[in-house]
């Protein structure tokens, strides 16, 4: 008997992943390995095994109680739970209506064993990378991808031109069969394994798609990305997913946003944070410094006595809000840099300066020393 892989490894998530991460990982894998999308894989055999493996992992990890037992005892802790290795792919889909119910009607209707009608196509996902400047201004991106589209030769029927699918002999065109279970005490209505719930089978396969009703097609689309988007948000392009069957609407294309790290700025909501190093003499005397913005350089006046870590604001130099369109600020944080090497003259000047320090020039230091004295003396 083959050893089961760790469920977290199967889904490609960490043990600290939350429910939404687990759901998203399963959805991605289920769409990747569903046999309908892997017709060239020896009839979908290898992909179907992987699909069942990730479904079993999700069935356990999506349930808080089962996940806790699995985390504590491993596979032994969930023995007797669902084993999908011998289940029909369609029946597995019916168990996860919260994920797939809106992506093809593979939920409630099939759970009742009803004949399958037009199915919405699978959604597709891709990633669009933006610079911080493009986040500020918005952008248009051209996306090239390949999807399974309706076969032009058979128009999605899977049948050779001039022929048609025939009524399934196993279910009589109903798309469902009744099975006896538990010593004849119960009857189960399930999707017909011969036609997979369609009620019809193709005898003369289309030479172009080999009976799948689909063919790979390259697509090039332009997506408009509004200003102010955040990492991980998605732009949906309706109808650019895979073709539905038979005759169902196409799915959508989800374009997830990735923002390139910026060498200077970090983002905090609509504000930009920039850390600027200055010399300790500049901080002590004050003056004007040049700071970068997304649109060039700006002059910033800093007062004498500026402290390390102090923050100054450049109004309206941040990013626009996605919904409010209100522009944030740029927050300039001062870092005071201490020189590592000094000339003899510089050392003497600093010694002369230190000799003039009567404690009044650095009140925070004096206050700290007074408190320290109280702690040490117990006063």
């Amino acid at each position: 008997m083959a050893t089961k892989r760790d469920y977290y490894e199967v889904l490609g998530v960490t043990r600290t992943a939350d429910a939404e991460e687990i759901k998203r990982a399963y959805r991605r894998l289920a769409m990747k390995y569903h046999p309908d999308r892997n017709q060239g894989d020896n009839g979908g055999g290898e992909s179907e095994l992987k699909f069942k493996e990730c479904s079993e992992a999700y069935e356990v990890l999506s349930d808080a109680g089962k996940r806790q037992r699995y985390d504590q005892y491993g596979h032994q802790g969930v023995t007797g739970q669902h084993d999908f290795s011998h289940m029909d792919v369609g029946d597995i889909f019916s168990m996860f209506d919260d994920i797939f119910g809106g992506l093809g009607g593979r939920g409630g209707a099939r759970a009742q064993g009803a004949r399958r009608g037009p199915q919405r196509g699978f959604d597709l996902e891709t990633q669009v990378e933006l610079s911080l400047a493009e986040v500020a201004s918005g952008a248009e991106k051209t996306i090239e991808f390949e999807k399974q589209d309706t076969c032009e030769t058979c128009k999605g029927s899977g049948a050779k031109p001039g022929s048609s699918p025939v009524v399934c002999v196993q279910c009589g065109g109903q798309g469902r069969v009744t099975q006896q279970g538990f010593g004849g005490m119960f009857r189960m209505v399930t999707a017909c394994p011969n036609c997979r719930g369609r009620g019809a089978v193709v005898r003369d396969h289309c030479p172009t798609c080999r009976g799948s009703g689909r063919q790979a097609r390259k697509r090039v689309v332009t997506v408009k990305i509004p200003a102010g988007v955040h990492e991980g948000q998605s732009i949906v392009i309706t109808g650019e997913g895979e073709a539905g069957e038979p005759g169902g609407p196409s799915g959508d294309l989800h374009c997830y946003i990735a923002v390139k790290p910026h060498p200077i700025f970090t983002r905090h909501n609509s504000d930009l944070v920039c850390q600027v190093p200055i010399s300790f003499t500049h901080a002590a005397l004050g003056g004007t410094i040049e700071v970068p913005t997304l649109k060039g350089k700006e002059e910033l006046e800093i007062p004498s006595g500026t402290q390390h870590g102090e923050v100054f604001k450049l109004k309206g130099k941040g990013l626009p809000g996605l919904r409010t369109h209100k522009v944030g600020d740029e927050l300039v944080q001062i870092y005071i840099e201490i020189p590592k090497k000094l000339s003899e003259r510089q050392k003497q000047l600093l010694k002369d300066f230190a000799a003039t320090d009567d404690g009044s020039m650095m009140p925070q230091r004096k206050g700290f020393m007074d408190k320290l004295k109280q702690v040490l003396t117990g006063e």
Side-chain angles (χ1 to χ4, degrees), residues 131-374:
S131 67
L132 205 55
E134 289 174 320
V135 172
S137 62
E140 281 193 2
K141 292 289 185 178
T142 300
I143 301 172
E144 297 184 17
F145 62 101
E146 188 176 272
K147 70 174 184 175
Q148 293 293 324
D149 214 341
T150 302
C151 175
E152 293 182 348
T153 304
C154 66
K155 308 303 180 187
S157 71
K160 183 179 179 180
S163 67
S164 300
V166 297
V167 174
C168 174
V169 294
Q170 187 165 341
C171 66
Q174 294 298 310
R176 58 186 181 181
V177 292
T178 303
Q179 298 177 339
Q180 295 292 124
F182 302 99
M185 294 177 63
F186 301 100
R187 291 191 306 167
M188 274 193 313
V189 179
T190 62
C192 174
N194 187 46
C195 66
R196 296 200 174 201
R198 293 180 176 88
V201 293
V202 175
R203 285 183 176 170
D204 296 323
H205 289 171
C206 168
T208 302
C209 65
R210 299 181 181 180
S212 68
R214 307 187 175 196
Q215 62 181 148
R217 184 171 290 120
K218 290 185 178 180
R219 290 284 295 155
V220 178
V221 297
T222 300
V223 55
K224 291 185 178 181
I225 302 171
V229 292
H230 285 261
E231 177 88 21
Q233 289 184 318
S234 68
I235 309 296
V236 179
I237 306 179
T238 304
E240 284 295 344
E242 295 194 343
E245 59 166 331
S250 296
D252 300 330
L253 175 65
H254 296 255
C255 303
Y256 287 91
I257 302 300
V259 181
K260 298 176 187 176
H262 196 278
I264 294 176
F265 296 110
T266 56
R267 180 179 187 176
H268 181 69
N269 296 323
S270 293
D271 293 334
L272 292 176
V273 179
C274 174
Q275 294 176 339
V276 178
I278 65 173
S279 68
F280 74 99
T281 54
H282 205 156
L285 298 174
T288 301
I289 62 172
E290 278 192 341
V291 296
T293 72
L294 283 178
K295 295 183 178 179
K297 295 180 179 179
E298 291 278 338
E299 289 190 344
L300 174 66
E301 189 72 27
I302 60 169
S304 60
T306 293
Q307 299 298 303
H308 179 78
E310 199 165 342
V311 176
F312 298 92
K313 184 183 293 185
L314 293 177
K315 195 74 175 174
K317 298 297 180 180
L319 300 172
L322 180 60
R323 293 180 178 83
T324 64
H325 305 294
K326 182 181 178 182
V327 180
D329 304 321
E330 181 177 327
L331 306 178
V332 180
Q333 187 174 30
I334 298 300
Y335 268 49
I336 298 176
E337 190 172 17
I338 306 299
K340 292 184 176 181
K341 292 183 179 181
L342 294 171
S343 67
E344 290 302 319
R345 174 168 167 71
Q346 289 171 328
K347 289 179 182 179
Q348 187 58 51
L349 288 172
L350 287 177
K351 288 176 181 178
D352 293 342
F353 170 77
T356 65
D357 183 8
D358 60 359
S360 63
M361 291 185 293
M362 293 187 285
Q364 290 186 17
R365 171 73 177 172
K366 184 178 183 302
F368 173 78
M369 295 306 294
D370 290 342
K371 292 177 182 177
L372 179 61
K373 182 180 179 181
Q374 291 176 5

Side-chain angles (χ1 to χ4, degrees), residues 36 100-110 114-122 150 155-157 196-199 214 242-251:
D36 286 353
F100 296 100
L103 300 177
R106 298 180 182 267
R110 294 193 66 178
R115 177 174 177 172
R116 189 170 73 174
Q119 306 295 301
R120 182 179 181 274
F122 289 114
T150 302
K155 308 303 180 187
S157 71
R196 296 200 174 201
R198 293 180 176 88
R214 307 187 175 196
E242 295 194 343
E245 59 166 331
S250 296

Side-chain angles (χ1 to χ4, degrees), residues 4 7 56 59-60 63 65-67 69-70 74-84 87 95:
K4 287 187 177 182
Y7 286 151
E56 183 176 329
E59 200 270 340
V60 171
D63 183 291
K66 293 177 185 177
R67 182 178 180 181
R69 292 196 298 275
Y70 178 74
H75 291 293
Q76 292 299 319
V78 290
T79 300
Q81 309 299 334
H82 282 101
D83 179 359
F84 295 148
M87 291 183 68
M95 300 180 66

Side-chain angles (χ1 to χ4, degrees), residues 13-57:
V13 297
T14 65
R15 288 184 172 269
T16 58
D18 59 25
E20 190 59 34
E21 287 180 83
I22 291 172
K23 181 176 179 179
R24 193 161 52 240
Y26 170 62
R27 179 177 178 273
R28 202 172 281 127
L29 289 171
M31 290 190 176
K32 177 180 179 181
Y33 291 124
H34 191 279
D36 286 353
R37 301 180 65 186
N38 295 274
Q39 295 293 329
D41 174 24
N42 297 321
E46 184 180 345
S47 296
E48 184 164 336
L49 289 175
K50 290 182 177 179
F51 172 78
K52 290 176 179 179
E53 182 184 43
C54 68
S55 295
E56 183 176 329

